Amino acid sequence: MALLITAKCTNCDMCLPECPNEAISVGDEIYVIDPLLCTECVGHYEKPTCQKVCPITNCIITDSNHQETQEELWEKFVLIHHADQL
């Protein structure tokens, strides 16, 4: 699944520089995560770094509208970071 930043976001800017896929950006009111780029840090870290650095509990959650298996997240990681080698 991709992750989702909820309305609890305070725009503290902790998550933005931590995303290895550059999936997080500034939205109209709060930061947003692009589900096409979010791999929940699969291929980079054991746990999503945005969730680890976010100071607000349950601010970044799994996005039930973008459910993916672990295998699908790995495939997305490969496509994002190794597309030039395919």
Side-chain angles (χ1 to χ4, degrees):
M1 283 184 218
L3 297 175
L4 173 72
I5 299 175
T6 68
K8 292 181 179 182
C9 179
T10 62
N11 295 317
C12 70
D13 201 38
M14 294 295 292
C15 62
L16 184 68
E18 294 297 322
C19 182
N21 297 327
E22 299 180 359
I24 300 174
S25 61
V26 178
D28 291 336
E29 295 182 26
I30 61 173
Y31 285 94
V32 295
I33 297 176
D34 182 342
L36 298 176
L37 295 175
C38 180
T39 63
E40 293 187 39
C41 290
V42 166
H44 296 282
Y45 307 110
E46 287 186 34
K47 296 183 179 180
T49 58
C50 61
Q51 288 179 326
K52 286 171 49 175
V53 301
C54 182
I56 308 298
T57 304
N58 296 322
C59 181
I60 303 174
I61 60 173
T62 53
D63 184 350
S64 60
N65 291 323
H66 296 95
Q67 296 184 14
E68 297 166 291
T69 65
Q70 193 74 7
E71 291 79 24
E72 289 171 320
L73 292 172
W74 270 106
E75 288 176 19
K76 190 189 309 184
F77 164 78
V78 170
L79 289 173
I80 292 169
H81 296 282
H82 302 287
D84 59 332
Q85 298 172 8
L86 297 176

